[in-house]
């Protein structure tokens, strides 16, 4: 992953072509690693299972993948999947402007520190209620839930997402 050293703005970020996998974090452009097939397979399995529960009205909300999430004027992230409850639909526009209820990041070999340190701290700071990190190799799921402005590890398991925000268990 590459990071720019000079300060960048939202206007600089918008100059990148649509579909480019970059994030703007604290005024720095960060190039995200390419998504491997195993990454895409796990993402698809999870998305399909959540999507089916949404369509069956078992989950109330919206699931979106790889969209720009504007947390503020110097921070734009591209999580693998986000969930937004009906109560927070006001943050949905062409992109997402605000804090989502739940985020999922599927790690890549070159992006582990970014997901486990940078994004963990970022999502905690902005108040994301539930943050899942998934290792696609063994389907290990780690769930962090925000409690009193601190992330607590709430769940660790293989191939199952247990989400309080969606009030659901998702097998993949």
């Amino acid at each position: 992953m590459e990071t720019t050293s000079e300060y960048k703005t939202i206007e600089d970020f918008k100059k990148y072509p649509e579909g480019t996998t970059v994030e703007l974090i604290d005024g720095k452009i960060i190039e995200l690693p390419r998504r491997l097939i195993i990454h895409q397979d796990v993402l698809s399995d999870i998305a399909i299972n959540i999507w089916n529960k949404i369509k069956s009205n078992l989950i109330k909300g919206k699931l979106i993948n790889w969209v720009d999430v504007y947390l503020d004027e110097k921070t734009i992230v591209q999580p693998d999947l986000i969930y937004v409850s009906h109560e927070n639909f006001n943050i949905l526009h062409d992109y997402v402007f605000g804090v989502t209820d739940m985020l999922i990041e599927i790690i890549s070999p070159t992006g582990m520190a970014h997901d486990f340190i940078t994004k963990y701290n970022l999502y905690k700071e902005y108040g994301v209620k539930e943050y899942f990190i998934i290792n696609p190799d063994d389907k290990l799921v780690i769930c962090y839930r925000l409690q009193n402005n601190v992330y607590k590890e709430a769940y660790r398991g293989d191939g199952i997402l247990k989400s309080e925000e969606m009030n659901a268990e998702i097998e993949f």
Side-chain angles (χ1 to χ4, degrees):
M1 289 181 17
E2 289 210 18
T3 304
T4 58
S5 56
E6 66 274 359
Y7 187 84
K8 299 291 184 177
T9 65
I10 286 177
E11 294 311 312
D12 295 318
F13 176 85
K14 289 179 178 178
K15 291 177 185 173
Y16 283 82
E18 194 165 322
T20 303
T21 54
V22 295
E23 295 178 322
L24 177 68
I25 296 180
D26 200 25
K28 292 188 171 96
I29 297 286
I30 297 171
E31 292 182 22
L32 300 177
R34 289 194 168 105
R35 295 171 177 113
L36 303 174
I37 290 174
I38 190 168
H39 183 283
Q40 308 253 18
D41 287 345
V42 169
L43 176 73
S44 296
D45 286 348
I46 293 168
I48 288 167
N49 287 320
I50 294 173
W51 182 253
N52 287 337
K53 288 183 184 272
I54 288 173
K55 286 300 178 186
S56 300
N57 288 318
L58 298 172
I59 296 175
K60 308 286 186 206
K62 188 167 189 73
L63 180 72
I64 308 166
N65 67 312
W66 298 327
V67 67
D68 293 341
V69 177
Y70 288 67
L71 295 173
D72 66 19
E73 67 282 346
K74 60 183 179 18
T75 304
I76 305 164
V77 293
Q78 288 184 356
D80 290 307
L81 283 170
I82 66 168
Y83 168 76
V84 179
S85 65
H86 275 287
E87 296 80 28
N88 287 332
F89 274 14
N90 62 316
I91 69 172
L92 301 176
H93 304 280
D94 288 337
Y95 301 102
V96 177
F97 292 89
V99 177
T100 66
D101 297 282
M102 185 266 286
L103 290 161
I104 297 172
E105 295 286 4
I106 299 168
I107 61 173
S108 65
T110 59
M112 278 194 217
H114 187 59
D115 291 333
F116 275 103
I117 299 169
T118 305
K119 286 194 166 179
Y120 171 94
N121 289 319
L122 190 69
Y123 296 155
K124 178 179 67 170
E125 175 186 338
Y126 283 92
V128 174
K129 297 174 195 167
E130 210 168 45
Y131 175 38
F132 288 91
I133 299 175
I134 299 171
N135 182 335
D137 293 327
D138 58 8
K139 295 187 177 182
L140 175 66
V141 176
I142 303 171
C143 172
Y144 297 100
R145 288 198 186 103
L146 200 59
Q147 299 170 359
N148 300 320
N149 297 323
V150 175
Y151 268 146
K152 304 273 185 180
E153 186 177 313
Y155 173 75
R156 184 181 288 248
D158 294 331
I160 298 176
L161 239 107
K162 294 182 180 181
S163 172
E164 285 185 7
E165 291 305 309
M166 292 187 299
N167 192 27
E169 286 189 18
I170 308 297
E171 290 187 48
F172 62 97

